[in-house]
Amino acid sequence: MKIIDETLLAAVVQLLSERLPPGWAVERRASATPAPVVSFSAPNQARGEVPAAVCQRLDPRGIATLPDSRPLLVVAPYLSRGVRELLERKAISYVDLTGNLRVVVDRPGLFMSAAGADVNPAPDKREFKLRGTKAGRVVCKLATSATPLGVRELAAAVATDPGYVSRLLATLDAEGIVDRSRRGQVERVDWRKLLQRWAEDSPLESRATLSTWIDPRGLDHAATTLRTANLPVAVTGSAAAASLAPVAPTRLLSLYVGDMQRVVAALGLRPAETGANVILLQPEDEGVLIEAESRQGMRWAPLPVVVADLLSGHGRSPAEADALIAWMAEHQEAWHG
């Protein structure tokens, strides 16, 4: 085993020892096999040993290369949410240096679970991030398009270069978000994981400039005005989610706007640092306005954008995102190409 792997394993053993229940102990033990072994000792001196797979980096595709034997403990500097979910499905224990861990030992009986970081604190500089206008357009097209879908076809649809699309797809393929044929054609898209990845890499505040306002006459007035005036807006956030999958009464109206002054004047908005009931968003990519769809007499942001906005929000926004995602899964014919 490499020295760097031994250092990583020692750090993880120390992390586990700090989180074990009183009376328990953990240590790295010598083994006759090439794989290192982590040993857990209960207060009654009962001992259980778990082979460890030490990974400097692990993506969803790499899980298929792990040993088939169980129990197994995966050790890494950082494990993404998607990797952790897949490991749990395969009954593989794991721990990373940020504190994400789930350890199950049958004999002696031990269960440990804790949450660490959801974002890699030391990302690979070569890691492809879903940031910027091009990435957003590719994500939305991938999420809504029928497969199979070729690289050049996708690049032409979003008006960008095939090389960029190819690099982006290679990253998503490695993470198990898309499946591609040998010729590089996209054959499957996990749109839920795709939108989660986009929301993590490009939260709302990185895609738009936000300002807070109040409509003193209330949201009903704002909604009525939006239905009767031809304004350059696209509804997103809670209001957009509630139009399809309501969770609770909408108290905040979020709008992408193309002409800030015109929208402010038409709705009669006033600036508000506190107590705001309207958020105006000037998008980095005006495509969100161009691609807006008409429904119920209003203009709505594309559903992938709404999901990403909610996933990167606070309060009840993630719950609203979950409800909208559930609706999308049940009504794919309504929004998926």
Side-chain angles (χ1 to χ4, degrees), residues 10-319:
V12 163
V13 167
Q14 178 62 34
L15 185 150
L16 288 172
S17 68
E18 294 170 355
R19 287 163 172 74
L20 278 169
W24 283 78
V26 60
E27 62 180 333
R28 155 80 160 97
R29 289 180 64 86
S31 170
T33 66
V37 168
V38 176
S39 175
F40 295 90
S41 301
N44 64 0
Q45 304 305 311
R47 186 185 299 274
E49 295 187 344
V50 182
V54 183
C55 309
Q56 288 300 317
R57 186 178 185 276
L58 183 65
D59 57 38
R61 297 289 186 205
I63 293 176
T65 66
L66 294 172
D68 293 329
S69 59
R70 300 291 182 272
L72 180 67
L73 175 66
V74 167
V75 171
Y78 173 73
L79 297 167
S80 70
R81 180 186 302 177
V83 167
R84 300 194 304 269
E85 290 174 352
L86 288 173
L87 291 175
E88 290 178 19
R89 290 179 201 165
K90 293 180 174 293
I92 299 175
S93 296
Y94 61 80
V95 57
D96 71 25
L97 292 182
T98 76
N100 290 306
L101 67 92
R102 187 177 189 275
V103 178
V104 181
V105 182
D106 291 335
R107 297 181 182 177
L110 173 66
F111 176 80
M112 301 173 63
S113 180
D118 260 339
V119 177
N120 191 348
D124 188 334
K125 292 181 180 180
R126 296 169 296 175
E127 184 179 354
F128 198 105
K129 293 292 186 181
L130 301 182
R131 294 174 179 164
T133 297
K134 290 195 293 186
R137 291 183 177 182
V138 173
V139 165
C140 289
K141 191 65 178 178
L142 273 176
T144 56
S145 296
T147 54
L149 188 63
V151 171
R152 293 189 177 279
E153 178 186 359
L154 179 56
V158 297
T160 190
D161 58 287
Y164 174 85
V165 173
S166 181
R167 293 192 298 275
L168 184 150
L169 291 177
T171 297
L172 299 181
D173 188 11
E175 296 180 8
I177 295 175
V178 303
D179 290 333
R180 294 189 300 168
S181 67
R182 291 183 178 180
R183 299 180 64 181
Q185 193 173 46
V186 178
E187 297 183 328
R188 181 196 66 89
V189 179
D190 188 328
W191 56 267
R192 300 170 186 81
K193 290 184 179 179
L194 175 63
L195 298 181
Q196 179 68 55
R197 174 74 147 76
W198 186 34
E200 291 174 356
D201 286 357
S202 297
L204 176 57
E205 59 267 22
S206 72
R207 292 181 280 109
T209 301
L210 178 153
S211 58
T212 53
W213 304 79
I214 187 168
D215 185 334
R217 287 167 288 188
L219 292 187
D220 287 342
H221 168 265
T224 298
T225 304
L226 290 176
R227 289 189 177 94
T228 56
N230 184 24
L231 296 174
V233 303
V235 183
T236 187
S238 298
S243 71
L244 299 172
V247 172
T250 301
R251 297 189 179 91
L252 189 64
L253 179 64
S254 298
L255 302 173
Y256 283 106
V257 298
D259 185 333
M260 177 77 72
Q261 292 184 347
R262 180 181 170 190
V263 172
V264 168
L267 296 182
L269 302 181
R270 299 175 183 173
E273 294 186 3
T274 60
N277 59 4
V278 177
I279 293 179
L280 299 185
L281 303 160
Q282 291 185 295
E284 176 187 76
D285 179 14
E286 292 192 353
V288 69
L289 295 165
I290 297 171
E291 298 295 328
E293 63 177 65
S294 297
R295 178 166 38 86
Q296 300 171 358
M298 298 175 69
R299 297 278 291 168
W300 307 88
L303 286 180
V305 174
V306 177
V307 170
D309 291 349
L310 290 169
L311 285 174
S312 59
H314 304 286
R316 71 186 188 198
S317 292

